[in-house]
Amino acid sequence: SLARQPRSSPTPSTGMPAAPDALAFPNEAGAVRLDRIEIENFKSYAGRQVVGPLMDMNAVVGPNGSGKSNLMDMIAFTVGLSSSDLRGKTLKDLVYRNSPDEDISERGASVSLVVTCDGAETRFTRSITPAGVGKYSVNGKTVSAQAYDEKLKTFGVLSKAHNGFLVFQGYVSELAQKSAKELSKLFEQISGSEELTEEYDALAAEKKRAEEEQIFNQQKKKGLAQERAIMKRQKEEAEAYQALLGRKRELQQLQYLQKLYGIEHEIVTLREQLGSEAAALDAESERHATAEATLRASEKERARLARRAVDLERQHASLLQKVEKQNPGAIKLREEIRHVDRRRATQAKSLDKVEEAHKAATKQQKGLEKQLADISDALARATAEQQEAESRGEVEMNKRQRDEYSRLKGEAGAKSAALHEQLSAMTRELRSDEPLLMQGRTKLDELAARRGVLEGRLGGFEERRKGLAERVAKLKAEAAECEKELQAAKTSGSTSRERQGGGGGGGGPPSPPPPP
């Protein structure tokens, strides 16, 4: 942002050329140039120092660590750069110190840029208090940082775009590595257009709103044009509809006239027919009187048939009640018969078991009786043979044989007595079972007789039920006949009324047909 200006002419007093204005830059008020730099205890510059007056081309040379770069830091510090951009953590790090351990708590620092514009000097001073606080002043007057920056802008110095006129070590390579977006941002900072970003965004938003409003208006215009075309078509259709309505009214009027003419002609014809039908009316009146008499007779007959139907309905309901009352008795008899059958079957099974047991006992008794008879016969024969032999003197038994004979005889007697006892027990058991057997047979006979009586009563109920069913069917047939006669009477009465109504209505003229 710096612009070279032509050299000034030599001063008349000294004959030396005036200070070059290579550091001058244009401004609305005139050419502005940096005349000198006044330093006090800043970085490696101890005490108060003055660099200047500055020439057209200035070069700072010296060994490493002699403070060449600190000259650039002075200018950057004065135009408002922070301590982090000047290789320091805090402002206190920018104050001169002779050694790292030196106490500088009571020492401050300051740098002043003296610029000229049309012969008038302006001093921009940025200082650091002993407490490490930065201060800004213009021409010795303390101002805020914002006012200080605004004052620099009046001279064309943009503190935010310091890289545009201060090229630090390594900045060229850093600049070459920047992206297009970063370069654009740098150019905006150098040119000062970055400050117009908010205004540009607001104008861009306003432009977008205007474009959207324009598009909306265009669409609205198109919609209005379409609505206009639609309304035009609707107008044409309405006009055509009104024309058709007029034509319709004309045709309806013509139709009504034709109908009126037809009605008038029909009235004349009906009047002519009225005279011829008057005689027919008299004859019809006589027939109507005859039909009325017939109708009254039919009404009496219908009333008689209705009473007959009511009587039949009552008889039918009474018979149904009797059937319903008798049906539970029949159902009870059937249940009792089934119960008797079940008891009879149970008694029959019990009787069969008793008879089987009786047969088995009888068979066993006969076997025992046979066995007893055989033993008795054998014993009698043996005794008879022994006695016969003893009488003949043929048998002589010693004592052992007699003892054996006595033993066998005792065993035979004991066995015979046991058989007699068992036979007696079986006989008693059979005799005790005989009453039960007789009782069971008697019970079976009673149950069979009871079943026969119940079956007879059930047969009587069945006969009565069949008779009642036939009676109900007969009553239903009679009711149907009565209904037919009643319907015939109603039909005859309605026919008579229709004839009477038809005869009475023939006297007046027929009503004209309704208009369409």
Side-chain angles (χ1 to χ4, degrees), residues 52-74:
L54 299 175
M55 302 296 178
D56 184 19
M57 177 69 67
N58 301 278
V60 180
V61 297
N64 291 337
S66 60
K68 300 185 297 296
S69 298
N70 289 341
L71 183 62
M72 290 287 289
D73 291 344
M74 293 175 193

Side-chain angles (χ1 to χ4, degrees), residues 422-437:
Q422 188 175 1
L423 181 60
S424 299
M426 292 297 294
T427 302
R428 287 193 301 271
E429 185 177 356
L430 287 175
R431 289 176 180 175
S432 63
D433 288 339
E434 284 180 0
L436 294 175
L437 184 60

Side-chain angles (χ1 to χ4, degrees), residues 8 82 95 118 137 153 155 164 174 179 214 219 224 239 248 274 280 345 347 399 481 514:
S8 61
S82 63
V95 179
D118 295 335
S137 62
K153 287 181 181 179
F155 288 91
E174 180 183 352
S179 62
Q214 182 181 4
Q219 293 177 351
L224 292 174
E239 291 175 352
K248 179 183 177 182
L274 183 60
Q347 293 292 335
K399 185 179 184 301
E481 291 295 332

Side-chain angles (χ1 to χ4, degrees), residues 75-209:
I75 300 174
F77 173 73
T78 309
V79 298
L81 266 68
S82 63
S83 59
S84 60
D85 295 328
L86 303 176
R87 298 171 293 170
K89 294 181 180 180
T90 62
L91 291 177
K92 201 68 174 175
D93 294 337
L94 304 179
V95 179
Y96 169 78
R97 65 179 65 199
N98 190 23
S99 64
D101 298 333
E102 184 181 2
D103 184 14
I104 58 173
S105 60
E106 301 296 332
R107 182 181 300 170
S110 66
V111 179
S112 298
L113 295 181
V114 181
V115 297
T116 61
C117 178
D118 295 335
E121 287 187 354
T122 303
R123 183 184 301 275
F124 293 92
T125 304
R126 185 180 181 186
S127 59
I128 303 172
T129 64
V133 180
K135 293 176 61 178
Y136 299 90
S137 62
V138 179
N139 293 330
K141 183 179 178 180
T142 303
V143 296
S144 63
Q146 183 177 1
Y148 186 84
D149 186 60
E150 292 294 333
K151 188 65 177 178
L152 285 174
K153 287 181 181 179
T154 60
F155 288 91
V157 179
L158 303 177
S159 60
K160 293 182 180 179
H162 61 86
N163 291 336
F165 60 89
L166 296 175
V167 180
F168 290 92
Q169 184 177 0
Y171 180 68
V172 175
S173 59
E174 180 183 352
L175 186 65
Q177 295 176 0
K178 287 184 178 294
S179 62
K181 186 175 181 180
E182 292 173 343
L183 289 174
S184 299
K185 185 175 181 181
L186 177 62
F187 292 153
E188 289 178 357
Q189 290 177 350
I190 294 173
S191 64
S193 61
E194 184 181 20
E195 298 178 358
L196 303 176
T197 301
E198 295 182 0
E199 183 179 0
Y200 174 80
D201 293 340
L203 292 175
E206 185 177 358
K207 178 185 176 185
K208 184 177 180 181
R209 286 194 299 272

Side-chain angles (χ1 to χ4, degrees), residues 5-12 15-22 33 54-56:
Q5 302 294 331
R7 285 178 176 273
S8 61
S9 59
T11 58
M16 297 295 292
D21 50 4
R33 59 184 299 276
L54 299 175
M55 302 296 178
D56 184 19

